[in-house]
Amino acid sequence: MGSSEAEGSSPPAIAPVIDELKKRRQSLATLATRLVVDPLELQTQKLHLEETMSTISKAIAILECVNSQQGHMAAQLEYSPSSDVTNKGSVGKRKIQSTRKAASRKRGNPYSWTRVTSTTIEDGHTWRKYGQKEIFSAKHPRSYFRCTYKYDQGCKATRQVQKSEEDPFLYVITYFGEHTCEGAKEKNPRCREPCVVSFESNKINDIKQEIAFSSFPSHKQENEEEVVSNLTSVDALPNCLEQPAMELHRSSITGLEPGWGDSFSGLNYSINSYDVEFMDLEDILSFELNEFFAW
DNA sequence: ACGATTTGACCATC
DNA sequence: GATGGTCAAATCGT
């Protein structure tokens, strides 16, 4: 069943996306040369245009690299939907074997995507922490979150947050399942689940951090580990404040040789199941460009 | 009082 | 048997 499907179904169509990105980069370049406005304004706009083009270039490079690995990766992208919630809402005591069985299948589930970020805040959804675990061979514990609307609306989305081994200031956030809930997204439908390509803005990030931490001035928890869980409550932050920049993290693109993405070492966004991400790329770009030109 | 978090226990998978 | 994911009672915060 699964094997024939893996062979027959074509992997995510990346080539068209690459072409589209190239076209947009070209049009941006053309546009940049035609900007005739207030010199002060021009400087800012050019700067942002260059940043945007730089981001697009990186995306193209990564996509091309991924594209070359597509055949190899296709087999790993088989979607294994979460088990049916036939016993959802059963809050009985311990005898819950069927639920456990279903939950444990998450291990190795390819239908996930990973994001590495300097904060754990704001992805447009509200999360409830349901566990934390010390992970063998990992320095930092892993926190487990489920969607706040899991029981209200049967939303199956979950995420795991863990401090990066390489950089303790970064958090590796792995998402599982898709949100089927309404509540969180209604706050800002623009805020899509995946991280977006947005204009770099350290200032915005600083503001976010400031808001995040000032929201819990008297919290008993002070070390960084605990901040991971605290920040989940900050999902109500202004949704217009997006992540500072989309970046890619080579380690989580499965099936690639170590070092393939060294040239992207400054990048900081990771993808496990990239099909989920690329579906949003067009929207992301058009949104950001519209946002920019609305400036 | 209520909702969120913590944490030890349970259980499936490897 | 080791490990990781989830549950749920206990605890905490507002």
Side-chain angles (χ1 to χ4, degrees):
Chain A
M1 187 212 288
S3 61
S4 61
E5 201 173 320
E7 284 171 28
S9 63
S10 57
I14 294 178
V17 181
I18 294 174
D19 289 337
E20 184 64 25
L21 282 169
K22 284 179 176 175
K23 281 181 202 168
R24 293 191 187 204
R25 181 178 58 183
Q26 182 57 46
S27 63
L28 274 174
T30 306
L31 188 63
T33 64
R34 293 183 182 176
L35 282 176
V36 182
V37 286
D38 176 10
L40 283 174
E41 192 82 6
L42 179 64
Q43 200 63 24
T44 312
Q45 291 185 347
K46 270 200 157 181
L47 186 69
H48 284 294
L49 270 173
E50 284 167 8
E51 287 172 355
T52 306
M53 285 190 288
S54 168
T55 303
I56 293 175
S57 295
K58 289 170 185 172
I60 291 171
I62 291 158
L63 283 168
E64 285 176 334
C65 188
V66 170
N67 196 24
S68 67
Q69 299 283 339
Q70 206 172 51
H72 177 69
M73 296 175 71
Q76 300 181 47
L77 290 171
E78 188 180 355
Y79 171 46
S80 56
S82 311
S83 63
D84 290 330
V85 191
T86 51
N87 53 352
K88 67 181 174 186
S90 66
V91 196
K93 298 210 172 186
R94 291 299 173 191
K95 284 292 176 184
I96 43 180
Q97 292 189 6
S98 56
T99 311
R100 301 265 185 176
K101 190 176 177 181
S104 296
R105 289 201 197 108
K106 181 172 288 183
R107 204 186 289 191
N109 180 358
Y111 191 68
S112 66
W113 60 281
T114 304
R115 166 184 186 171
V116 182
T117 176
S118 55
T119 68
T120 63
I121 59 177
E122 190 48 44
D123 57 11
H125 295 280
T126 53
W127 300 93
R128 171 81 58 83
K129 186 175 183 177
Y130 65 84
Q132 180 169 314
K133 192 101 180 153
E134 294 288 341
I135 301 301
F136 182 74
S137 78
K139 292 181 195 167
H140 311 290
R142 178 179 298 163
S143 298
Y144 299 88
F145 299 84
R146 63 168 173 79
C147 178
T148 301
Y149 304 101
K150 178 181 179 179
Y151 299 117
D152 290 356
Q153 300 176 29
C155 183
K156 298 174 189 172
T158 63
R159 76 172 185 179
Q160 299 174 357
V161 179
Q162 190 173 8
K163 257 187 180 180
S164 169
E165 294 277 318
E166 297 168 2
D167 186 346
F169 292 102
L170 296 178
Y171 297 95
V172 180
I173 307 176
T174 305
Y175 293 85
F176 297 90
E178 289 187 85
H179 280 277
T180 55
C181 58
E182 295 296 325
K185 286 198 174 184
E186 279 175 2
K187 289 193 298 184
N188 185 353
R190 235 172 38 182
C191 190
R192 309 286 296 269
E193 176 124 340
C195 187
V196 303
V197 181
S198 76
F199 295 117
E200 186 277 335
S201 174
N202 292 330
K203 208 160 191 175
I204 288 177
N205 206 34
D206 288 345
I207 293 169
K208 285 175 70 174
Q209 296 262 23
E210 210 173 306
I211 296 171
F213 285 97
S214 63
S215 298
F216 304 91
S218 60
H219 225 281
K220 70 177 176 89
Q221 301 163 329
E222 287 180 344
N223 70 46
E224 289 174 315
E225 214 58 71
E226 290 159 332
V227 166
V228 172
S229 57
N230 279 345
L231 289 173
T232 62
S233 303
V234 195
D235 282 331
L237 280 171
N239 288 325
C240 57
L241 302 179
E242 277 298 344
Q243 291 296 314
M246 181 190 92
E247 297 178 345
L248 290 161
H249 196 270
R250 61 181 160 82
S251 62
S252 60
I253 298 181
T254 56
L256 298 178
E257 292 295 322
W260 75 272
D262 284 347
S263 57
F264 310 127
S265 56
L267 304 178
N268 180 23
Y269 188 94
S270 58
I271 299 171
N272 260 352
S273 297
Y274 56 90
D275 52 340
V276 179
E277 298 300 306
F278 296 160
M279 294 306 290
D280 287 324
L281 207 44
E282 292 237 5
D283 289 346
I284 288 165
L285 285 170
S286 58
F287 159 62
E288 293 298 339
L289 293 177
N290 288 337
E291 199 76 352
F292 170 64
F293 289 113
W295 251 27

